[in-house]
Amino acid sequence: FKKWKLLIIGDGNNKYKLKLQDLIKKYDLQEKIIFKGIQIAPEKILKSAKIGILLSDHEGSSNAIVEYMNCSLPIISTDSGNITEILDNQINGYIVKQRDYQGIANLIQKMLLEKEKSKMMGKNNKKKVNQLFNYKEMINRYKEIYDKI
């Protein structure tokens, strides 16, 4: 895995970002771990990615997960927010317990080694995002809500 890079998109918690930056310097990983900041069009970066990873302790409805799915990425995510409504464990990605760092590392390695399975998970994500977030389906859902009012 000599060619790997970790691209961190978004801003997140400044306290943790500073700790992470210190660790990156300490272990001389500046060439491997790159902060990309907030991105208006993250899909440009995501199209070059192999895995979408979301490790939040608290998450509502995640735009990042939907963006990963739209870019056909397999996903590793912590079990927070509505992740289990979108992500089917072992079908289009993996759901891990929060702060299970060894489990996360193992899954990243597994996804990079099992390229065909990861590719299939990415295809499953693209299919699912097209089903869940197409205009016709969204209009039907809104109509159902309005009909109940």
Side-chain angles (χ1 to χ4, degrees):
F1 301 114
K2 292 181 181 181
K3 294 182 181 182
W4 71 269
K5 286 190 182 193
L6 175 64
L7 304 177
I8 300 175
I9 299 173
D11 222 9
N13 182 314
N14 199 38
K15 179 178 126 182
Y16 294 119
K17 183 178 177 181
L18 293 173
K19 281 184 181 180
L20 186 55
Q21 287 173 327
D22 288 343
L23 288 169
I24 291 166
K25 286 178 188 170
K26 180 180 178 180
Y27 293 105
D28 193 31
L29 293 170
Q30 296 91 330
E31 298 293 317
K32 294 285 189 185
I33 302 174
I34 301 157
F35 289 89
K36 300 302 269 182
I38 295 172
Q39 298 291 311
I40 294 170
E43 58 277 352
K44 291 178 182 178
I45 295 169
L46 294 176
K47 289 193 186 261
S48 68
K50 301 286 184 238
I51 305 169
I53 303 172
L54 181 71
L55 303 177
S56 296
D57 285 342
H58 307 285
E59 191 71 36
S61 183
S62 174
N63 287 337
I65 293 289
V66 175
E67 289 164 347
Y68 299 158
M69 293 173 83
N70 195 46
C71 289
S72 300
L73 292 175
I75 298 168
I76 297 172
S77 178
T78 50
D79 184 9
S80 62
N82 73 336
I83 297 303
T84 56
E85 293 174 25
I86 299 172
L87 192 62
D88 299 312
N89 196 33
Q90 300 185 32
I91 307 253
N92 55 349
Y94 295 102
I95 299 172
V96 295
K97 291 182 180 175
Q98 294 173 5
R99 302 177 191 269
D100 179 6
Y101 305 117
Q102 188 60 55
I104 294 162
N106 291 343
L107 287 172
I108 291 170
Q109 186 174 23
K110 180 177 181 165
M111 283 186 149
L112 292 173
L113 290 171
E114 296 178 0
K115 292 176 184 175
E116 287 305 312
K117 184 171 184 175
S118 294
K119 191 180 240 183
M120 182 56 67
M121 287 178 166
K123 286 180 181 178
N124 291 341
N125 276 327
K126 184 67 173 180
K127 184 191 290 185
K128 186 165 186 172
V129 79
N130 286 335
Q131 290 170 347
L132 290 175
F133 297 101
N134 70 56
Y135 289 110
K136 288 180 182 177
E137 185 62 32
M138 291 177 79
I139 289 168
N140 287 336
R141 285 192 211 145
Y142 280 119
K143 186 178 179 319
E144 288 174 13
I145 292 169
Y146 287 124
D147 288 345
K148 290 179 182 177
I149 296 177

